[in-house]
Amino acid sequence: MALIGLEELRAAQRRIAGVAVRTPLLPCPWAATGDRRLWLKPESLQPTGAFKLRGAYNRLAAMTAEECARGVVAQSSGNHAQAVAYAAGLLGIKAVIVMPDTSPGVKVDNTRAFGAEVILVAPGERDTLPAELVERHGYVWVPPYDDPYIIAGQGTVGLEIGEDAPDELDTVLVPVSGGGLISGTAAALKLTCPGVRVVGVEPELAADAQASLRAGEHLSWPVEDTYRTIADGLRTPTVGVLPFRHLTAYVDDIVTVSEDEIRDTVALLARRGRLVAEPSGAVAAAGWFHRADEVGGRVAAAVVSGGNIEPALLAELLAR
């Protein structure tokens, strides 16, 4: 399958207009150190609280009438779940979502509130049950990242950064899980702003993407390892096949951050940036604050990918 190009990215941008929010690029003077400056792209401001709406709506809106009538099934720890449920509701499509039983309650509740049927399973079954449901019921499978429409939709984040960024922007930080967001964002930036470096950030406890990129081959981590991280949206044990092709073509490097660094950054974004970020959404900014030598660059933008955090966890992290 070919890498996505500008035509697919621009088509996605037109398709999601008026549904997904065109989030601002926020300057962070409180984050400046010396001549280093940071901007934040708060995808937590989307109607579903995360960037996933871009890809989900782009995928569902491109379906045929026959596909829409069949309904859709998706698997997700929460943000893709909410996005598919919300998009399906707008388009009048039945949605069934398979979620691990470790998903935060706020994400499960929101997915149901958007009108989807939720099936909770053990983490190891999350990625296998959808295929069975497709076979049994004829649903259209909407994967969370390994799909060109999903990648193109997420890539609109990169298009917007390229359009809004100051001329001196030299680095963009993006969280990595299954790879849909960084794939699309990196493609958009490299095709429109070729001088900008794209650096992925993921938890040390779920660093399969970094291992894969540096080894030059598609590697997988055990589920029991990746599920140790507090960043529940980044626990995917391996990047997708199509995202891995984009990573090797467009991503300059991937760095990792510790659990304490993620926790500290959630609190920092809330206190200083007035932004509610879930742990997964804070990872890219954590790379800027805690791994400056590895990240490099002078003027960066970090994608705050989501803000769907349990209130009790947010209170705990703010009390640290």
Side-chain angles (χ1 to χ4, degrees), residues 179-212:
L181 175 60
I182 194 168
S183 293
T185 299
L189 288 165
K190 294 297 185 178
L191 293 172
T192 60
C193 308
V196 173
R197 297 171 61 248
V198 178
V199 178
V201 188
E202 63 182 343
E204 290 176 348
L205 298 183
D208 57 283
Q210 184 194 64
S212 296

Side-chain angles (χ1 to χ4, degrees), residues 4 24 28-29 103 153 163 165 171 193 208 210 215 223 234 245 265-266 270 272 288 292 304:
I4 63 167
C28 298
S103 299
E163 292 163 359
T171 305
C193 308
D208 57 283
Q210 184 194 64
V223 168
L234 306 182
R245 294 191 59 208
T265 304
V266 171
R272 299 299 305 276
W288 168 266
V304 180

Side-chain angles (χ1 to χ4, degrees), residues 115-182:
E117 175 187 345
V118 174
I119 302 175
L120 296 175
V121 299
E125 300 176 49
R126 188 195 82 158
D127 294 328
T128 57
L129 182 58
E132 298 177 24
L133 296 176
V134 168
E135 182 69 22
R136 196 181 311 158
H137 301 289
Y139 299 137
V140 175
W141 195 347
V142 182
Y145 45 82
D146 213 344
D147 179 280
Y149 285 95
I150 297 291
I151 292 173
Q154 320 304 28
T156 58
V157 170
L159 289 180
E160 292 173 11
I161 291 174
E163 292 163 359
D164 296 346
D167 292 341
E168 61 269 30
L169 182 78
D170 55 38
T171 305
V172 174
L173 301 169
V174 188
V176 188
S177 181
L181 175 60
I182 194 168

Side-chain angles (χ1 to χ4, degrees), residues 220-231:
S220 179
W221 281 29
V223 168
E224 56 268 25
D225 287 351
T226 62
Y227 268 68
R228 295 174 298 165
T229 179
I230 192 175

Side-chain angles (χ1 to χ4, degrees), residues 225-284:
D225 287 351
T226 62
Y227 268 68
R228 295 174 298 165
T229 179
I230 192 175
D232 63 275
L234 306 182
R235 292 171 175 165
T236 303
T238 185
V239 296
V241 175
L242 186 56
F244 183 65
R245 294 191 59 208
H246 286 78
L247 259 65
T248 56
Y250 294 129
V251 175
D252 294 281
D253 195 11
I254 297 176
V255 303
T256 63
V257 290
S258 72
E259 296 299 291
D260 279 343
E261 289 165 350
I262 295 170
R263 291 170 180 268
D264 288 345
T265 304
V266 171
L268 180 62
L269 291 175
R271 292 194 187 105
R272 299 299 305 276
R274 280 65 177 178
L275 288 175
V276 173
E278 63 189 277
S280 305
V283 163

